[in-house]
Amino acid sequence: MLFNKKYIEKLWVYIFNKKKNYLIFSIVVLIFFSFNKAYPINICDKLGALEADPKKTSKPVLFEDLDAKKIIINCTNALIKAKNSDNISRFYLQRARGFLKIGSINDAISDLNKSYELGYPAAAFALATLFYLGDDVTQDFKLAKKLFFESYNLGVIWAAKGLYFLYSDPNYDGNNEKIAHMWEKVFSQLIVE
């Protein structure tokens, strides 16, 4: 018992004398683990980050610059290894971009729906855009409007741009130039901030 007490006292003296080094080391370790947990960046993020995604962890990649095969492979691996549900929903969104790039619309919609079901805001925006454009799915302005509003309310400022396009579209029954310009103004104010 006496040995343990003396050993503990010596340990505290040693730590106290080296406290600056321990403090620096502890802060570095704390920052490293906190940063990595909050902002895990992997190859899936680097290859497929969507500009409209407020939760992106990497520099966004334009659609025309996407490397679909690499995105699909790396995001699939990220999904297999992911343990954090926030990351999983982002990885599904990013992999969907790869599927869209190669024209695999069913796989893209499946991934977007999975991301959306996990509550990922940018997935609602991506689905809204698909249904607004109607290029690879049946155009559905009503669903697009609902999803644009939902994603906007969840912090996706690009949804304001989508609402501008929707309200200024002559094929939309609810076409309204005044509302369209209001959404255009909202978007331009938010994108500057």
Side-chain angles (χ1 to χ4, degrees):
M1 185 79 164
L2 185 63
F3 171 76
N4 288 339
K5 187 176 178 182
K6 284 183 179 181
Y7 177 76
I8 292 172
E9 288 173 7
K10 285 182 179 182
L11 180 62
W12 279 112
V13 169
Y14 178 78
I15 290 173
F16 182 77
N17 290 335
K18 302 288 185 179
K19 68 182 174 186
K20 184 178 177 184
N21 292 342
Y22 281 104
L23 182 62
I24 292 170
F25 175 75
S26 298
I27 290 171
V28 168
V29 168
L30 181 65
I31 290 171
F32 177 77
F33 284 115
S34 298
F35 182 78
N36 278 339
K37 186 173 181 183
Y39 303 101
I41 299 175
N42 65 34
I43 297 173
C44 177
D45 292 314
K46 290 179 182 179
L47 294 171
L50 174 65
E51 184 173 6
D53 183 359
K55 295 184 175 188
K56 64 184 169 287
T57 61
S58 187
K59 181 180 172 186
V61 182
L62 297 174
F63 188 77
E64 57 265 16
D65 295 335
L66 294 175
D67 185 334
K69 289 180 182 180
K70 284 184 180 177
I71 289 172
I72 294 166
I73 290 168
N74 286 289
C75 290
T76 299
N77 288 336
L79 284 163
I80 291 167
K81 295 175 184 175
K83 294 183 172 57
N84 182 317
S85 63
D86 289 338
N87 297 337
I88 291 170
S89 57
R90 187 178 68 251
F91 297 153
Y92 275 122
L93 170 76
Q94 293 168 167
R95 186 172 73 172
R97 296 187 77 210
F99 284 132
L100 282 172
K101 179 76 180 213
I102 62 170
S104 185
I105 192 65
N106 291 335
D107 290 326
I109 290 174
S110 174
D111 276 2
L112 288 175
N113 282 327
K114 288 174 187 172
S115 182
Y116 177 74
E117 289 166 7
L118 290 169
Y120 203 66
F125 171 77
L127 286 167
T129 303
L130 278 177
F131 287 110
Y132 167 69
L133 295 173
D135 291 338
D136 296 310
V137 296
T138 303
Q139 193 171 43
D140 188 336
F141 289 137
K142 184 178 179 181
L143 181 56
K145 178 182 172 183
K146 173 194 171 290
L147 291 168
F148 277 137
F149 272 111
E150 185 177 329
S151 59
Y152 177 78
N153 290 331
L154 292 171
V156 181
I157 61 174
W158 280 83
K161 187 74 165 183
L163 288 164
Y164 159 73
F165 285 124
L166 178 67
Y167 280 103
S168 60
D169 192 317
N171 296 318
Y172 174 51
D173 290 339
N175 174 292
N176 184 318
E177 286 301 315
K178 188 175 182 179
I179 295 173
H181 289 297
M182 187 256 331
W183 281 111
E184 182 179 36
K185 186 177 180 179
V186 167
F187 176 73
S188 41
Q189 289 173 343
L190 290 173
I191 202 71
V192 172
E193 296 173 2

